[in-house]
Amino acid sequence: MFSSISSLLLLAAGATARIYYAGVAESGGEFGVYSATATPGTGLPGRFGVDYAFINESTVDVFVDQDKINLFRVAFLLERMCPLEYGLGAKFNETHFGFYKDAIDYITITKGAYAILDPHNYMRYNNPSQQPATGSVIGNTSDPNAATTIDFELFWYELASRFKDNEKVIFGIMNEPHDMPTTLVLQNDQAAIDGIRKAGARQLIIAPGNGYTGGHAWCQSSQGDEPSANELYKIRDPINNTAIDIHEYLDYDFSGQHSICNQSAPANLACLTSWLKTYQLKAMITEFGGDNNTMCDQYIDQLIQYMDDNDEYIGWTAWAAGPLWGTSSPCCTDGRALGSLEPGSHASDGSPSLYYTVWLTAIQKMVPANLIRSGISSIYG
């Protein structure tokens, strides 16, 4: 039922460079596990629709029907999909998987958009109680509690097996690996790719680097580990349908916590873009954001325009919407409760949320008119 990747390759040479995918991250599937004492198992599995949730169908409708996006990045926790009593691997909590599949099917089948499957675990498993700091690094052979790289491959084989017939799925290997050897990031990324392809899935895969997969730091050492640029070019996909997954915030420390935007994306992404060009790779920026001020509007515009102008970039999702944010903000506000990118949300003082003051004013106007609406997810559109 899929279009041939080979035929897409033949068409790619004559295709006009453009963004194929644009949309928003749906954050909420990773909620409900925080523990002040970092106690493993806190909030697991949790109450669906109360402690955690994936999407609000009515706001997905707004994004697709009114805002004309075609991509959602939907977060989940490995510890809910693969409970601690099972361990990371091919055995799932079927109730939890059913909730997640319902969300992905609504996006992809009912609404006809694309969906990134996003294990929001920072390349860690077994204790998400104080993410991103807690949990054992997957593949860390010196940690007896750590899941292995083989476990990670088995997990991706199983998940891909269940979605291989849904051509509008994109496999996001992992959210923001950090503070680990970059060689191990590569090893785990490759294991995930191997598992996905062994399952017979041919859809697009996006692979992260180290250092929270920051584009600005792609060519730099991060937390003492070697640059992602030194290792990630070694990724191998037998059908050449893998792109690089990048996050890029615009505040002074690239954390996405602050309301002042002062980091130039064109300058900070130059080395990454050159690296992508050298190795003939593509990338998607799946997290970025800003506060509701004129300066951030300008920096967001620069970032999205930079992607438009460089054919190494094929898509993006802004951070973040989600059904459980309420008046809280997912990024970029110095802790002020200005709401999220969720349609219909509002700030704590009752004023319009970031959906109205950032999404509609700075981001939605940059959504390309010619996004793809059909066919298998692919680096070739």
Side-chain angles (χ1 to χ4, degrees), residues 3 8 15-16 18-23 64 68-71 111-115 167-170 204 241 284 314-315 367-381:
S3 301
L8 288 169
T16 302
R18 62 179 177 91
I19 297 295
Y20 301 125
Y21 310 97
V64 175
K68 306 302 181 183
I69 70 171
N70 74 338
L71 180 63
K111 301 306 296 183
Y114 291 81
E167 63 182 11
K168 291 196 168 181
V169 159
I170 296 171
L204 174 61
N241 197 22
M284 298 178 72
I314 61 171
V367 173
N370 57 346
L371 297 173
I372 66 167
R373 303 288 175 181
S374 63
I376 186 173
S377 59
S378 168
I379 61 173
Y380 307 109

Side-chain angles (χ1 to χ4, degrees), residues 75-91:
F76 68 92
L77 279 180
L78 288 175
E79 291 84 0
R80 286 191 172 118
M81 197 72 77
C82 297
L84 301 181
E85 58 267 33
Y86 299 168
L88 185 62
K91 187 176 181 180

Side-chain angles (χ1 to χ4, degrees), residues 14-353:
T16 302
R18 62 179 177 91
I19 297 295
Y20 301 125
Y21 310 97
V24 69
E26 291 281 351
S27 171
E30 75 278 32
F31 282 20
V33 293
Y34 176 76
S35 165
T37 57
T39 302
T42 300
L44 296 173
R47 297 165 296 171
F48 178 69
V50 178
D51 302 317
Y52 74 99
F54 299 118
I55 62 168
N56 183 328
E57 292 181 358
S58 66
T59 57
V60 169
D61 293 349
V62 172
F63 279 124
V64 175
D65 300 338
Q66 298 179 28
D67 297 343
K68 306 302 181 183
I69 70 171
N70 74 338
L71 180 63
F72 296 83
R73 177 176 178 249
V74 187
F76 68 92
L77 279 180
L78 288 175
E79 291 84 0
R80 286 191 172 118
M81 197 72 77
C82 297
L84 301 181
E85 58 267 33
Y86 299 168
L88 185 62
K91 187 176 181 180
F92 286 7
N93 177 324
E94 296 299 338
T95 300
H96 177 71
F97 172 77
F99 293 144
Y100 191 68
K101 185 175 185 296
D102 286 346
I104 300 303
D105 285 354
Y106 189 79
I107 290 168
T108 59
I109 298 172
T110 303
K111 301 306 296 183
Y114 291 81
I116 299 171
L117 312 187
D118 170 31
H120 214 81
N121 275 74
Y122 303 88
M123 203 62 89
R124 284 152 171 80
Y125 173 83
N126 69 22
N127 183 9
S129 64
Q130 287 190 11
Q131 286 189 337
T134 51
S136 295
V137 173
I138 296 169
N140 180 2
T141 57
S142 66
D143 180 353
N145 297 315
T148 67
T149 298
I150 293 174
D151 294 334
F152 193 51
E153 179 176 339
L154 290 172
F155 163 77
W156 269 113
Y157 175 90
E158 181 63 25
L159 191 63
S161 295
R162 297 175 181 225
F163 283 105
K164 67 180 180 180
D165 293 327
N166 186 336
E167 63 182 11
K168 291 196 168 181
V169 159
I170 296 171
F171 301 113
I173 289 175
M174 179 59 66
N175 177 69
E176 294 191 347
H178 68 91
D179 292 282
M180 59 187 291
T182 306
T183 52
L184 183 54
V185 176
L186 171 66
Q187 181 180 338
N188 289 343
D189 282 356
Q190 188 62 59
I193 293 168
D194 292 346
I196 292 165
R197 297 304 182 223
K198 287 175 184 176
R202 301 178 64 81
Q203 300 98 315
L204 174 61
I205 300 170
I206 52 175
N210 207 357
Y212 298 92
T213 204
H216 58 279
W218 198 256
C219 303
Q220 306 166 11
S221 61
S222 180
Q223 295 98 33
D225 297 308
E226 66 176 312
S228 297
N230 287 13
E231 297 293 335
L232 268 291
Y233 72 91
K234 299 174 185 176
I235 281 176
R236 296 292 179 264
D237 178 352
I239 63 170
N240 296 315
N241 197 22
T242 295
I244 302 298
D245 188 1
I246 296 296
H247 292 178
E248 190 66 13
Y249 287 99
L250 304 168
D251 48 349
Y252 78 92
D253 61 357
F254 305 100
S255 68
Q257 297 181 20
H258 310 291
S259 61
I260 295 176
C261 295
N262 56 14
Q263 292 287 355
S264 167
N268 290 322
L269 294 175
C271 186
L272 166 65
T273 305
S274 177
W275 179 87
L276 292 167
K277 191 183 298 290
T278 296
Y279 292 105
Q280 299 182 331
L281 293 168
K282 302 293 185 180
M284 298 178 72
I285 298 184
T286 61
E287 281 191 27
F288 66 93
D291 199 359
N292 58 357
N293 57 64
T294 302
M295 179 176 293
C296 284
D297 286 356
Q298 293 172 348
Y299 278 86
I300 290 170
D301 182 274
Q302 286 180 4
L303 170 60
I304 298 176
Q305 190 61 53
Y306 183 80
M307 289 187 278
D308 287 346
D309 292 341
N310 289 273
D311 65 5
E312 286 71 35
Y313 298 91
I314 61 171
W316 50 261
T317 53
W319 183 261
L324 299 180
W325 281 102
T327 61
S328 298
S329 297
C331 85
C332 315
T333 65
D334 287 311
R336 293 172 298 154
L338 300 182
S340 70
L341 301 186
E342 184 79 353
S345 62
H346 54 80
S348 60
D349 63 1
S351 62
S353 71

